[in-house]
Amino acid sequence: MSKSLIQFIIEEQRAIPGATGDFTGLVSDIVIACKQISHDVNKGALIGVLGSAGSENVQGETQKKLDIITNEIFIKATEWAGHLAAMASEEMEDIYPIPARYPKGKYLVVFDPLDGSSNIDVNISVGTIFSILRAPQGVENPVAADFLQPGTTQVCAGYALYGPATMLVITSGHGVNGFTLDNDIGEFILTHPDMRISEDTREFAINSSNEQFWEKPVQRYVEECVAGKNGPRGTAFNMRWVASMVAEVHRILIRGGVFMYPKDTKDPSKAGKLRLLYEANPMSFIVEQAGGMSSTGYERIMDIKPSGLHQRVPVILGSKNEVERIVRYHKEI
Ligand code: AHG
Ligand code: MN
Ligand code: MN
């Protein structure tokens, strides 16, 4: 019998002295949310969930119907069981305290309910990203400031990828494991144990339409890659851009690569596009746990002390030797 995600988490928990089962309970609620989201994403137009909701989120981005539906699914699946003190999401301006009718717990969860949502109407892979933090000791009613913890304090991070198969990839600080949803039995089954990112790669992912706005080190790196065999790298590179970070990170876990959404000058009020709490930190935790590296170009992402819930950061992550090279370019110029 193959191992389910919940069996895997319970066995991991047994190794932790004094563990109460709270963490396992929380993860299993998140897993249920991801199964429900997978179902809705999969049905698509059949259940009328595609298209725009006609509203904007706190970041001024147009919300898709599914951005709102998946946010609601995630809340409903996780708020009731007494494992959480509060949550925060890309789609909500303020934190979401656990309603008074439910017991409160010691964890916080932050999430991006639907990552890559611009892809939903064109039937390209999307995902859900989550990160579990501890509420500060003795805090029963957390405020936004309690969520502003550096990525190094994450207890667990994961993503669900709704692609040709639905997968869930998770770390709680002891490596990275990947599970595939078997729709016939409704369980995630361990199919990708101990995922590792190759140290070297010849593949990069970046939205090149922003090239004029990038900083010199990133321009230099990409120029050198596209120069191919006759350029300074002396080898041909391949390029991908899915516009779903979950899909890009998953590809990198499977076959290596570098993903960049770097600092640019397109909108000087934003340091980057991706959000530190909901996207950059959880993905950095996963990438580092798989032997990769994650940086803004100037500093390790997980070391950043967040200044706001919806803070954005530049992201450069993936195969270690290439990310190291890009960081070096940032020092040289
Ligand atoms: P979201 O759909 O949650 O807003 O995130 C989309 C993100 C990320 O997944 C992706 O890598 C990037 O935005 C795509 O940006 P461009 O449309 O600028 O390429
Ligand atoms: Mn996203
Ligand atoms: Mn999103």
Side-chain angles (χ1 to χ4, degrees):
M1 170 75 185
S2 20
K3 190 177 282 194
S4 75
L5 173 51
I6 295 309
Q7 182 183 348
F8 181 88
I9 300 287
I10 290 173
E11 285 176 359
E12 259 200 353
Q13 179 199 295
R14 271 191 205 135
I16 304 166
T20 58
D22 254 333
F23 175 72
T24 307
L26 174 57
V27 172
S28 81
D29 289 344
I30 292 173
V31 168
I32 290 170
C34 293
K35 285 181 193 170
Q36 177 71 51
I37 295 171
S38 176
H39 169 271
D40 284 20
V41 163
N42 211 254
K43 290 279 180 226
L46 295 174
I47 54 169
V49 291
L50 302 188
S52 166
S55 53
E56 282 190 351
N57 67 11
V58 55
Q59 356 231 347
E61 296 161 342
T62 308
Q63 285 178 306
K64 299 278 183 188
K65 281 187 205 161
L66 266 174
D67 283 321
I68 296 171
I69 294 168
T70 54
N71 193 60
E72 202 58 28
I73 290 172
F74 201 102
I75 291 172
K76 290 284 168 269
T78 55
E79 68 178 346
W80 61 277
H83 308 305
L84 287 175
M87 42 186 133
S89 150
E90 181 183 290
E91 300 301 335
M92 298 185 286
E93 181 159 7
D94 297 318
I95 66 159
Y96 179 89
I98 297 304
R101 62 183 181 280
Y102 296 125
K104 288 207 180 80
K106 59 182 179 225
Y107 292 109
L108 307 174
V109 67
V110 295
F111 60 99
D112 176 356
L114 194 64
D115 175 63
S117 57
S118 74
N119 279 328
I120 195 73
D121 294 344
V122 289
N123 201 13
I124 290 174
S125 300
V126 289
T128 298
I129 310 172
F130 61 89
S131 157
I132 300 174
L133 303 163
R134 277 194 191 82
Q137 197 81 37
V139 172
E140 266 202 23
N141 296 300
V143 293
D146 295 319
F147 285 79
L148 305 183
Q149 308 179 24
T152 48
T153 66
Q154 292 174 99
V155 177
C156 171
Y159 64 77
L161 168 63
Y162 314 111
T166 291
M167 287 195 65
L168 200 142
V169 171
I170 192 165
T171 183
S172 49
H174 312 281
V176 178
N177 289 279
F179 301 80
T180 304
L181 181 60
D182 183 336
N183 277 310
D184 293 337
I185 58 168
E187 288 288 354
F188 281 100
I189 302 296
L190 180 62
T191 47
H192 294 63
D194 195 19
M195 300 174 88
R196 303 293 301 166
I197 298 175
S198 60
E199 290 193 350
D200 292 299
T201 182
R202 294 288 170 262
E203 191 163 75
F204 67 96
I206 193 163
N207 183 342
S208 288
S209 70
N210 294 323
E211 182 174 358
Q212 59 176 308
F213 305 111
W214 298 337
E215 293 187 316
K216 282 271 171 310
V218 171
Q219 284 175 341
R220 171 184 170 191
Y221 177 76
V222 173
E223 250 170 55
E224 289 181 2
C225 290
V226 296
K229 282 207 170 79
N230 300 323
R233 302 297 303 272
T235 182
F237 276 76
N238 192 18
M239 200 208 81
R240 287 286 182 274
W241 188 250
V242 187
S244 287
M245 188 192 198
V246 168
E248 321 264 13
V249 168
H250 193 69
R251 185 187 59 249
I252 290 170
L253 281 164
I254 300 290
R255 68 176 192 209
V258 187
F259 167 87
M260 290 169 277
Y261 215 115
K263 188 165 183 216
D264 66 39
T265 55
K266 205 172 176 181
D267 177 350
S269 70
K270 294 172 188 155
K273 167 155 191 196
L274 298 172
R275 278 119 316 197
L276 176 58
L277 263 58
Y278 319 113
E279 295 167 322
N281 267 341
M283 290 311 204
S284 299
F285 191 20
I286 292 168
V287 164
E288 286 195 10
Q289 282 294 316
M293 186 173 165
S294 179
S295 169
T296 63
Y298 298 97
E299 63 184 319
R300 181 185 178 210
I301 287 180
M302 289 214 292
D303 282 338
I304 298 172
K305 168 80 179 90
S307 57
L309 275 185
H310 301 291
Q311 180 181 355
R312 295 171 191 257
V313 290
V315 174
I316 298 168
L317 59 75
S319 294
K320 194 161 175 279
N321 290 340
E322 289 300 296
V323 178
E324 259 170 11
R325 172 186 287 269
I326 302 166
V327 168
R328 194 171 75 233
Y329 287 6
H330 280 79
K331 290 192 181 116
E332 283 172 13
I333 302 177

